[in-house]
Each structure stands twice: as structure tokens, then as C-alpha cells.
Amino acid sequence: MKTAIVGIDTGGTFTDFVVLAGDEIRVHKEPSTPTNPAEAILAGLEHLGSEIGEVVHGSTVATNALLERRGARTALATTAGFEDVLEIGRQTRPAIYDLSVTRPAPLVERQARFGVRERLGTKGEVVVPLEAGDAAEVASAIAAGGFESVAICLLHSYANPEHERLVVAALEEVFDGFLTASHQVLPEFREYERTSTTVANAYVGPIMQRYLGELADRLPGPRIRIMQSNGGSISLQAARRSAVQTILSGPAGGVVGGVEVGRLAGYPDVITFDMGGTSTDVSLCQGEPARTSESSVGGLPIRLPVIDIHTVGAGGGSIAYRDPGGALRVGPRSAGAVPGPICYGRGGTDVTVTDANLFLGRLSPTHFLGGGSMLDMAPVEGAILGLATAMGMSSVELAEGIVSVANTTMAGAIRVISMERGFDPRDFSLVSFGGAGSMHAAALARDLGIPRVIIPAAAGILSALGMLLADIVRDYSQTLMVATDVADGGTLDAAFASLEARALEQFALDGFEPSQVGFRRSLDMRYLGQGYELEIPVQAQLDAAFHRLHDKRYGYSDSRRVTEIVNVRIRAIAVTEKPTLASRPIGSESGGAAAVIGDHEMIFDGERVAARLVDRERLEPGSTFAGPALLVEYSTTTVVPPGCRCRVDGYGNVVLEMSS
């Protein structure tokens, strides 16, 4: 038996597995176990029965802990007088005209914030020295408070971390819980974002330590890597120290996989569309995953490099309901894995998007999960009729309305990352994946004018495959704050060299030689006095590059204004062994008749339409046909609506071409 590498993506409804053993790729879906995600992982690995050499895992544990406020009881040690930074935040408002907007409560309550008598200036100079007795006094007070975790974030420690190190040392003498300091997590200016990010790491750190510790204990053989939000992976040990890096790890794997699928298919500019059981994630990518350092989870800023993903609460398990005003609403509440949609037969009673798709013939009750699971139509019909009657419409109108509302939510998400940022979706291809995405992708493409949809082979588990395509990546940054015209090469080289030395030291702990680690250098730049920055790769004409990007992003630039370098950044990369997505020669064009396994009835615009039921596994490269058709396979189901042409390329991708 060949030693296997396994990619695992834990979703809200299913946990997905991709097994790479030599040239063989196998896939599997296991119902998720929300109370303990490790149970689904172990059950899936037992089912697969392979000799496992390495596991790459995308975890939702840290995300859920933040969203559901189930993290560790955390204390914050900060400069005296700045205990309320988490409360004050910034003047920006998420809904500027909403007079009743409520900000999320801080992760650390007021009585758990401790002031340390010290003060540094903006350049790191000592204004008020930190006395050993003061550090010990604060450490003792924290140790007596029964906390599991402590975040240390002192004013301007990005410029001089010495005071934070003294507080950490004092805490280590009396506190045996989780410690995290801002100079280790985010050595950048902006007190609110730095404090929020450090606190988030402290808040989810003990949860991830316990989860990953259990996973390591119950999987003692294979090497385990954890997917990060930035599109790379890190060792299990590194993830236990920096749990906040994993908050968007599952969706990040999907974007990595989607970009690779688009590149191989000949369409490098893509919008990735990942629709799962509880949410939909979209990202606009021009040849490579787009990244940002400005993200938030549950309304809390997390200022770390992440893949630029926009998420909405629309998924296959999203629940439909009548709101107090009598309107049809869908999501964000989800039936999840337990009890799940009604048609799963696990006790669900609320009508979901999946139930509506089944009612409309956009799922086959006998071919779900490759025929390994049957969907129950009878209770779905009764539940849809009940909700339809309450809303004064027919069952068909309700089912199509549910799908339409969900599609509107997802189309809005795509508009946010495209039109609202100056991109025309007509210039991109939609790469659709996730268990539910391929049922909705064609309708979304038509609504937005996107010319084609690419549905990868085994699209339902692409996020897990993307994890196997990810390199080991770590991001490092440091605030510099210097005018561009006075920053000589020596200043920048010294800053980069310091970050690269730190990276090599940490990679060495994971067994990598310096020759195995490569670096990408970039700078955060802005016009002097601006409150935001743009990331620019290091190049000869920095000012000119900044002006061009500023003009592209915001529609104007001013070469007369002084620019400044705010942060230096490096991206350290150790290349991993990856699966090869092999192509097959395209034969003579055929209509795919050999793949048709029966007739099927679907509903579009209130009309029942005769369609073909197609086994996707039997489609050969070069197969072409027109909709309506329903393509069934193990990991997903694809709806080919009337007027849409379908072809299969050499990589097994199903490409839907939208009619004009």
C-alpha cells in the first residue's frame, strides 16, 4: 500500500477528504461532527484505510470559537491608560446611517484588562521605564484571576519589544496558561488593530491547542500541517502558537485550488465561488490568489495577511422562513450537519435551499453522494407546501423563490469583490466548487454576465485538494514609517534581513534548511498623511509603481505628493510536493450520449422541463451537449439550465458556456 498524503477540509455539513497516493487521487465525504471535529476526521480516515504519511488540514475550530464567543477566558496586559482601546476602536462605522447599530462586545471584559506603568515613544524610545516590581505586580494580579490566556500589547512595542518581553517574563514566573505578545503576532502600528489581533490569538489559542493536541495524540503517525488564512500551510506546532493564522483556513484552500484549476483550463482571471452547507465564499483572483491585510471575523478586525475572501450566510443548509413583514428570507441561520436539511432524514424540519433544489429537480434523490445516500422527497413536499400556504403562494413559487433569494445574496457577494472594486465580472470566469455551488453557478453567471463557469473534477472537495497544492508559507512584517525619498537601500535591506533571519529561525524548527526557503519582499506605501496603505512588490521605481496602483484602485493618483513606506513585509515560502493534475487528450467531439443514465424532470421559471440525467464520471474530454441536464457525481451535482452549452476539457473540467 502506497503512503498517502491527505487533504482534509472541515465544513459545516460535511468533512471532505482528498487522498493522494502516488498518481492515484481518491475523494471521500464524511458528515461533520460539530461538537468535536476530530471525530469526523478520524472516522473518514478509518473509512479510507490508507497508510497515511502526511495530513494537511483546514480547521474551522478557531473561526467558530470567535463567531460563537466560545474562546478562552482571556486577560489583557496593556499600557496604563490604554485599557479601553478595545472599547474605543476607530471612528469608522460599518453602517453609517444605522442609528441603532450595535458594535460587537470586546473579547476581554473591562475587569480583565490590566494597566502596566510604562510608556514608549513612537520610535521605541523609553518615556516611562518599566520597573520589575510593576511587571511582577500586574503578573500576580492576572495569575490570581483564573484566566486561561493572556494577551500582552503595550504601546509602540512594534518599535521596541523590550517592555513586552519583560511582562512576558514576569508572567512566566507565576502563570502557566497561554501567553501571546503583540510583537510576536503583529509588530505593526495602529493600536486598535494590533490589540484586537493579539487578543484574538489569545482568545482562540487554548481552544486550538486542545484540539490540535487531541488530533496529534489520536494520529501519532502522520506529519500534520494546518492550512492558514494566507493560502499557505504551517506545522501543527506553529499553528498551536499562532492560532489566529488559521481563522479562514478552509476557504483559503478553495481559492488556491480554484486558481490552479483556472490556470490549467486557460483562464487565469477567475472569480472563485465556494458554496457549502452554511455559507458561500467568493474571491476575485488575477492569476494568483488575492491577499489583503484588512479582514474581520464577527466584526473584530484581524490585521494579518489573508486571502481576500468575502463570505455571506447562504449555503445549501440555509433555512427559509417568513419574516415579521411577510417577506421570504433565506439564511443566515443554517440547519448545519445536525439535523441538516429535511431531505437528509436526520430530523430536520426547516425548509432549506437543498430541500428547494430537490423539489425543483436540481438534485437527484437516488444519486446523492454517488448513490451512497438517498434523499427523502415526501417530507420535503409537505414542509414546502406548509410554508407556501402560510405565504400565500404555490409550492413551486416558494421553491423557486428560495433559490432566487439565495442567488441574489450570492450575486451581491460577487458584486462586492468585482464591480464595487472597479472590476467587470464579464472579464472573468467563475470557478464553482463546494457541495452546493454547481447547482447555482450557471444562474449566477447569467445574472452577472460572466461568460463561462468552470466546474472542476470532484468540485465538492476542491478546498481539500487546494490544501495539498499549498506551500508552507509564513508572513512577517515590521513597521518602518519613513518617507520613500529618504529610505535608502541599506535601510530597507536591513529591515528585510531582520525579518528573513526570523523566518529562517522558525523554519529551522520545522526541519527546513535555509536553501529550502524562498522570500518575496513587499512594502506598504501611502501618500503622506493618508490613513490607508497599498502593498507594492519591491522594485526599482517604487513611487511610480505606487502611483499606478493607486490610480487603478481609487481612480486617481498624484505624482507631486510625497509618499512614505509604512511597513516592510516578507513572505517566506518552502515549496511542497504537490499532486499533478494530469490532462487527457481530447478526442473527437461527442454529445456525451454514453454518459446519459436516464431521463429527469426539472423546473425552470415555473415550467416542468424534460432533461437528461448524466453520469459525470462517464463524460470523456471533448464531450459537448446543451442543457437542460443534471450532472451527478459523488461530491456535487451540476445543473445545466436550458440554453446553456456544456463541454468537458482535457482536465475533466465541465465548462458551461453562457448563451448571450
Side-chain angles (χ1 to χ4, degrees), residues 75-78 80 113-117 130-145 147 150 152 154 167 170-171 174:
L76 170 64
T78 188
R113 302 176 212 149
F114 297 83
V116 181
R117 288 188 293 271
L130 173 58
E131 302 294 340
D134 291 339
E137 180 182 341
V138 169
S140 296
I142 291 174
F147 300 103
V150 182
I152 302 99
L154 303 182
V167 175
L171 280 163
V174 295

Side-chain angles (χ1 to χ4, degrees), residues 478-498:
Q478 179 67 56
T479 291
L480 194 61
M481 207 67 76
V482 60
T484 308
D485 57 0
V486 300
D488 57 36
T491 301
L492 294 181
D493 285 342
F496 283 123
S498 175

Side-chain angles (χ1 to χ4, degrees), residues 73-132:
R73 185 163 181 260
T74 302
L76 170 64
T78 188
T79 301
F82 289 81
E83 294 90 343
D84 294 326
V85 163
L86 288 177
E87 296 272 9
I88 297 169
R90 290 202 174 276
Q91 65 180 356
T92 54
R93 295 174 60 181
I96 192 168
Y97 299 113
D98 186 351
L99 299 180
S100 60
V101 67
T102 301
R103 295 181 59 183
L107 296 176
V108 179
E109 55 193 1
R110 181 60 181 87
Q111 58 268 33
R113 302 176 212 149
F114 297 83
V116 181
R117 288 188 293 271
E118 64 84 41
R119 186 67 180 266
L120 297 176
T122 58
K123 302 298 183 183
E125 71 277 16
V126 176
V127 177
V128 177
L130 173 58
E131 302 294 340

Side-chain angles (χ1 to χ4, degrees), residues 70 143 166 204 233 362 533 582:
R70 293 186 295 100
L166 291 173
V204 300
S233 62
R362 301 176 191 185
E533 300 84 45

Side-chain angles (χ1 to χ4, degrees), residues 30 72 135 141 152 279 330 354 380 384 389 482 512 531 533 575 594 651:
E30 186 77 24
I152 302 99
S279 62
V330 179
T354 295
V380 171
I384 286 181
T389 301
V482 60
F512 289 93
E533 300 84 45
V575 177
Y651 290 94

